[in-house]
Amino acid sequence: MFSLPHRSPRDLPFVVDHTALLLVDMQRAWLEPQFDPHLQEPEGQAFLQRARQQVIPNQQRLLAAVREARQNVLHTLIESLTADGRDRSLDHKLSNMHLPKGSPQAAIIDELAPVENEIVLPKTSSGVFNSTNIDYVLRNLETRHLIVAGIVTDQCVDMAVRDAADRGYLVTLVEDACATYSDARHQACLNAIKGYCWITDTDTVLGRLREIRG
């Protein structure tokens, strides 16, 4: 079990107007059984239970706090730029992963729907820094602190954390606002990426956000 609080040199106060929240792949495709039959299997059911009972409510709290603090919110989703998916990465083609542009399954779930003026970045690879212009956008927003939450912990979230750290962002991973398909996988990922980010929980992040609201 990964232990909190996590000691990290990245554990620094958030700075007003230099802090952003990144929610990774909170889409209907991965959270509604009619789109993902895997969710009806035992590990999928456990994943969905954690997502519904803990991850989504915590992300709703994070969203509300970041919006109240008037900091930037970015959403990523897996979605092809074309209807036939010809623009997808080779890995997504080999994995038969294709969410057509504008399709219902590609949409972000209603509970976390972007509001006007929030940034949505469709991607066609696991790593948002590999198939979108997120680095360019974050630098234009003068982002220093990047708060990350989403699914799944040991795939797209993991890549966002590592790539953001390599590009010079101070990354905060909100552990109880992420999920993958078993607790063992979740814990193993936290241990593997603890050198790239500060790992903490929703309540701690909310406290830091209250501080920058003044």
Side-chain angles (χ1 to χ4, degrees):
M1 178 70 68
F2 187 87
S3 59
L4 295 173
H6 170 222
R7 294 185 178 180
S8 169
R10 298 157 191 84
D11 177 2
L12 297 169
F14 299 149
V15 179
V16 67
D17 296 333
H18 299 285
T19 300
L21 172 66
L22 174 65
L23 296 184
V24 178
D25 298 354
M26 298 302 295
Q27 301 170 252
R28 297 182 67 193
W30 323 125
L31 292 163
E32 295 184 11
Q34 71 267 31
F35 295 124
D36 185 0
H38 177 231
L39 295 176
Q40 300 175 21
E41 300 172 3
E43 69 172 12
Q45 290 176 356
F47 164 80
L48 192 57
Q49 182 178 23
R50 175 179 168 94
R52 290 292 173 189
Q53 294 183 0
Q54 182 180 66
V55 171
I56 294 171
N58 282 340
Q59 289 191 14
Q60 288 177 304
R61 296 166 67 206
L62 290 167
L63 262 179
V66 172
R67 287 167 177 167
E68 186 174 350
R70 298 180 181 275
Q71 302 306 290
N72 287 297
V73 176
L74 299 93
H75 306 258
T76 74
L77 63 152
I78 294 175
E79 182 185 49
S80 300
L81 299 174
T82 56
D84 60 10
R86 63 185 183 277
D87 59 290
R88 290 171 295 162
S89 66
L90 176 60
D91 180 68
H92 277 202
K93 289 174 180 174
L94 294 173
S95 301
N96 196 30
M97 185 178 296
H98 172 44
L99 300 179
K101 181 178 176 62
S103 61
Q105 61 267 37
I108 295 169
I109 59 173
D110 290 342
E111 296 94 322
L112 301 167
V115 299
E116 185 179 5
N117 219 28
E118 289 182 351
I119 295 168
V120 179
L121 296 168
K123 62 190 175 78
T124 50
S125 68
S126 294
V128 63
F129 284 86
N130 293 327
S131 56
T132 78
N133 64 341
I134 187 172
D135 187 44
Y136 174 80
V137 171
L138 289 172
R139 294 191 189 282
N140 286 348
L141 297 173
E142 299 184 358
T143 304
R144 180 65 169 156
H145 296 269
L146 187 63
I147 304 165
V148 179
I151 56 175
V152 294
T153 315
D154 54 346
Q155 294 179 16
C156 295
V157 173
D158 178 308
M159 291 194 70
V161 167
R162 292 174 188 264
D163 289 342
D166 273 354
R167 286 165 174 80
Y169 299 97
L170 293 168
V171 182
T172 297
L173 179 65
V174 191
E175 179 276 330
D176 58 357
C178 299
T180 187
Y181 293 102
S182 73
D183 185 63
R185 283 176 54 173
H186 183 75
Q187 299 299 328
C189 180
L190 298 181
N191 278 307
I193 64 174
K194 63 186 177 183
Y196 296 89
C197 57
W198 174 44
I199 301 173
T200 188
D201 57 18
T202 300
D203 286 339
T204 301
V205 171
L206 294 179
R208 296 285 174 92
L209 289 168
R210 284 192 292 269
E211 291 173 5
I212 69 171
R213 283 206 309 265

